[in-house]
Amino acid sequence: AQSVTQLGSHVSVSEGALVLLRCNYSSSVPPYLFWYVQYPNQGLQLLLKYTTGATLVKGINGFEAEFKKSETSFHPTKPSAHMSDAAEYFCAVSSDTGRRALTFGSGTRLQVQP
Amino acid sequence: KAGVTQTPRYLIKTRGQQVTLSCSPISGHRSVSWYQQTPGQGLQFLFEYFSETQRNKGNFPGRFSGRQFSNSRSEMNVSTLELGDSALYLCASSPNTGSGANVLTFGAGSRLTVL
């Protein structure tokens, strides 16, 4: 079974500082990997995705991530945090039995300090 | 293009009752998935429907059921509600083919409170 581990349930950065979110996955085959962002009282919005092809992927809101198969990691970064980035972020991996049956990490709450 | 629409957004039920939640996918999307989000268990997959058939199912008791209609709209039902069923229920749709076939677009969710 697939699993994902998000490192850090809470991350706090200053406005303008680098944002780094961390996710490691376990998979016996190259998975489909996703990051979603959730703002208060809202659903999930796709932040970025790795399916096949290029290992460096760009997402919304200035985030990008490198898929590192050897490290089984997929860590998004953003060079300069903005107050509007404050939200909860979830890493997810597709199941090998159903690509729409995502297994989610436990979430990382990002705080941006002024 | 309209997004995924879930109704109702908020509802309160009492233990033992049943509830039905509705989801209208993005036009053209034929796959609909449901997820439960709770503070304790996080986001968990409930089931996926495609062409009116359940294609995949998560590890939930039989009290949780769903269906999909010919227009791809989906409903999920929870019978004999328990306090632990209080959660945000998220619906997601995706196309079945093409480059976005594995990308889920989520609705805003239905927040269920069981008293």
Side-chain angles (χ1 to χ4, degrees):
Chain A
Q2 314 278 30
S3 67
V4 290
T5 302
Q6 289 186 237
L7 304 175
S9 58
H10 288 84
V11 171
S12 183
V13 300
S14 298
E15 193 172 18
L18 173 73
V19 178
L20 169 63
L21 306 172
R22 295 187 291 171
C23 173
N24 287 91
Y25 68 92
S26 70
S27 172
S28 58
V29 296
Y32 290 177
L33 290 162
F34 306 87
W35 275 90
Y36 283 89
V37 57
Q38 186 175 37
Y39 299 99
N41 298 317
Q42 294 187 29
L44 302 173
Q45 183 179 7
L46 182 67
L47 186 72
L48 40 72
K49 64 179 180 182
Y50 171 80
T51 53
T52 57
T55 56
L56 181 64
V57 296
K58 293 187 183 298
I60 63 169
N61 302 341
F63 282 88
E64 66 178 33
E66 184 177 3
F67 172 63
K68 295 185 178 180
K69 184 180 176 181
S70 61
E71 299 176 9
T72 61
S73 70
F74 191 49
H75 305 327
T77 61
K78 179 175 180 176
S80 178
H82 191 272
M83 297 296 290
S84 61
D85 294 324
E88 188 147 24
Y89 293 79
F90 294 93
C91 179
V93 63
S94 60
S95 163
D96 48 11
T97 59
R99 290 179 178 169
R100 295 166 192 83
L102 299 182
T103 298
F104 282 88
S106 55
T108 297
R109 185 166 297 279
L110 175 66
Q111 286 184 309
V112 182
Q113 307 291 342
Chain B
K1 207 173 193 182
V4 178
T5 303
Q6 292 188 245
T7 56
R9 286 293 313 277
Y10 302 91
L11 67 167
I12 300 173
K13 294 285 186 179
T14 57
R15 279 180 297 174
Q17 286 187 312
Q18 73 166 6
V19 66
T20 299
L21 308 178
S22 180
C23 173
S24 293
I26 289 173
S27 178
H29 287 192
R30 297 172 61 195
S31 170
V32 174
S33 305
W34 288 89
Y35 288 80
Q36 182 196 62
Q37 184 177 24
T38 61
Q41 300 299 315
L43 282 152
Q44 294 183 285
F45 170 74
L46 280 157
F47 27 65
E48 181 206 355
Y49 286 86
F50 174 75
S51 289
E52 303 177 62
T53 302
Q54 188 180 86
R55 187 154 64 173
N56 211 340
K57 188 178 189 304
N59 189 26
F60 278 81
R63 299 185 298 107
F64 291 82
S65 63
R67 60 179 176 168
Q68 187 180 34
F69 302 94
S70 58
N71 61 358
S72 295
R73 190 177 71 85
S74 178
E75 288 181 348
M76 67 162 284
N77 183 275
V78 188
S79 62
T80 320
L81 284 166
E82 300 176 0
L83 294 178
D85 296 333
S86 294
L88 180 66
Y89 290 88
L90 293 164
C91 170
S93 73
S94 64
N96 198 52
T97 58
S99 60
N102 300 305
V103 179
L104 303 183
T105 301
F106 285 84
S110 292
R111 184 168 295 282
L112 170 66
T113 302
V114 182
L115 302 176

